[in-house]
Amino acid sequence: MPSLWHRGGEPVLQGPTNVENLLRFQSASAQNADFLIRCGHNYTIWVHSDIVCARSEWFREKVEEARRNGSHVLDSEEERHYLYDAIATLYSGTLPERYTVPGIDALLRGFGLWAVADRLNLQSIKVALYRECTNYLKGIVCEWQRMMNFLGFLTEDLVAMFRVTMNAAYDMHLVPFQKLHVRAVKDAHFWVVDDPVFRALSSENQQFFQDVENSMFYSGFVNKPGIPQKCDWCEMDPLSAGWHYAKVWADDQGQPAGNCYVCETGMVEDGDDEEDDEEGYDSDGSDYGNWELHLGDD
């Protein structure tokens, strides 16, 4: 399982990203749209079949099937707001701002859109939302490391933020996001598992704790090595410098050693971390897709 700090190139949505293209969708009923998506009895979305079919295999199959039956209408049981946002993203090439503003609300909203994108096989949207969750959890792991280093304990509010999104991932059965929350604990090097606040607020989700224990077992963490005094590579204290540790282990004397984020990502970019490079940023174990995803250099 790769680290949250792995850098192998950021996945981004491709396609037109200009305002005019999004406006074309928002005024589709008056802009030569030729296909209608019907959500329930009172909500419809007009789309341009050339755009949605070019950017989604699912839409292409459904549109072709409807046309074979002499229809230009597709009935959908998806929640209309999420479906609208998914289609708008196909047009614009970017997630709506309400999914990218940092915070719990945007992340929980993103879980709902991810579930719709999963059912419609919109891989680019899934990966973009997965990246938003990864960045959110990175911030929490950074704070965990600093608190455990300088205070020796975690504050209730920071653990509560983690618990909200973790419970949502398990309640909605979103396996990729469940794994991300387990990975966050792993990237905190399992120190948080022994923190009483963390255990008290998170113990209600037994499946999560079982997944964490399994991760500890397969990672070989019999004894948590503790917090290093400095980076093994640059010999600086990343926590004092406002950075964080990306990898920690016990040295030959059993003392904690580690690499900071700056050094670790440099080694990943040089191709030294084969395990991380193998899995990359894939959100659900499937292929990245075709047109939608581009892995560019950082």
Side-chain angles (χ1 to χ4, degrees):
M1 179 182 294
S3 165
L4 290 173
W5 314 115
H6 167 66
R7 294 174 65 192
E10 293 284 347
V12 296
L13 293 159
Q14 285 194 312
T17 58
N18 54 67
V19 175
E20 290 80 3
N21 198 59
L22 182 58
L23 289 175
R24 185 185 177 201
F25 166 62
Q26 293 171 337
S27 59
S29 59
Q31 294 287 333
N32 301 319
D34 58 352
F35 207 81
L36 183 68
I37 301 175
R38 187 165 53 200
C39 303
H41 299 290
N42 301 316
Y43 192 81
T44 57
I45 305 174
W46 280 98
V47 300
H48 302 84
S49 60
D50 58 331
I51 292 180
V52 296
C53 291
R55 300 173 185 177
S56 166
E57 182 179 351
W58 186 89
F59 275 113
R60 182 167 62 252
E61 292 176 353
K62 294 299 182 181
V63 168
E64 290 176 353
E65 179 182 352
R67 285 175 172 168
R68 285 195 297 269
N69 295 325
S71 174
H72 69 281
V73 178
L74 170 64
D75 289 311
S76 173
E77 297 180 356
E78 300 295 347
E79 204 282 326
R80 65 182 191 179
H81 299 296
Y82 287 132
L83 182 61
Y84 182 93
D85 286 343
I87 296 173
T89 302
L90 290 181
Y91 271 76
S92 69
T94 58
L95 289 170
E97 185 177 358
R98 56 184 165 273
Y99 296 98
T100 60
V101 176
I104 293 177
D105 291 341
L107 193 60
L108 295 178
R109 195 177 296 118
F111 285 176
L113 181 58
W114 191 95
V116 171
D118 186 47
R119 288 189 289 271
L120 303 186
N121 195 26
L122 304 177
Q123 185 70 6
S124 62
I125 297 177
K126 290 169 59 181
V127 175
L129 291 166
Y130 182 83
R131 175 58 38 214
E132 293 298 322
C133 184
T134 301
N135 290 334
Y136 173 82
L137 291 176
K138 280 181 180 180
I140 288 183
V141 170
C142 290
E143 290 303 314
W144 281 352
Q145 290 192 11
R146 293 186 182 114
M147 286 186 175
M148 295 301 287
N149 184 55
F150 297 118
L151 301 178
F153 60 87
L154 299 178
T155 58
E156 186 171 324
D157 58 340
L158 190 60
V159 176
M161 291 169 58
F162 178 84
R163 181 185 61 172
V164 169
T165 56
M166 178 268 290
N167 282 336
Y170 279 84
D171 291 343
M172 297 176 69
H173 308 289
L174 303 179
V175 174
F177 296 104
Q178 294 174 13
K179 291 181 177 179
L180 264 187
H181 282 77
V182 173
R183 187 181 300 174
V185 177
K186 180 176 183 289
D187 280 2
H189 314 298
F190 301 108
W191 302 324
V192 296
V193 176
D194 293 333
D195 183 79
V197 173
F198 184 85
R199 295 198 70 87
L201 292 181
S202 304
S203 59
E204 61 198 49
N205 195 318
Q206 294 301 315
Q207 183 58 55
F208 167 70
F209 264 95
Q210 183 62 56
D211 291 342
V212 169
E213 289 179 1
N214 291 339
S215 180
M216 291 177 66
F217 175 80
Y218 289 112
S219 299
F221 271 82
V222 179
N223 296 307
K224 291 176 280 298
I227 302 175
Q229 296 300 310
K230 60 182 180 180
C231 172
D232 192 61
W233 188 269
C234 66
E235 298 188 347
M236 293 182 62
D237 179 5
L239 298 178
S240 296
W243 305 335
H244 38 268
Y245 285 100
K247 183 176 292 185
V248 171
W249 63 90
D251 62 19
D252 295 339
Q253 287 74 42
Q255 297 300 311
N259 289 330
C260 70
Y261 169 58
V262 174
C263 293
E264 185 65 26
T265 53
M267 284 187 284
V268 170
E269 288 175 343
D270 290 338
D272 292 340
D273 196 333
E274 296 180 1
E275 178 185 356
D276 283 6
D277 286 340
E278 246 179 64
E279 188 167 336
Y281 279 131
D282 203 351
S283 60
D284 58 2
S286 59
D287 291 335
Y288 282 108
N290 41 56
W291 74 272
E292 302 108 322
L293 191 64
H294 168 67
L295 294 181
D297 295 331
D298 230 359

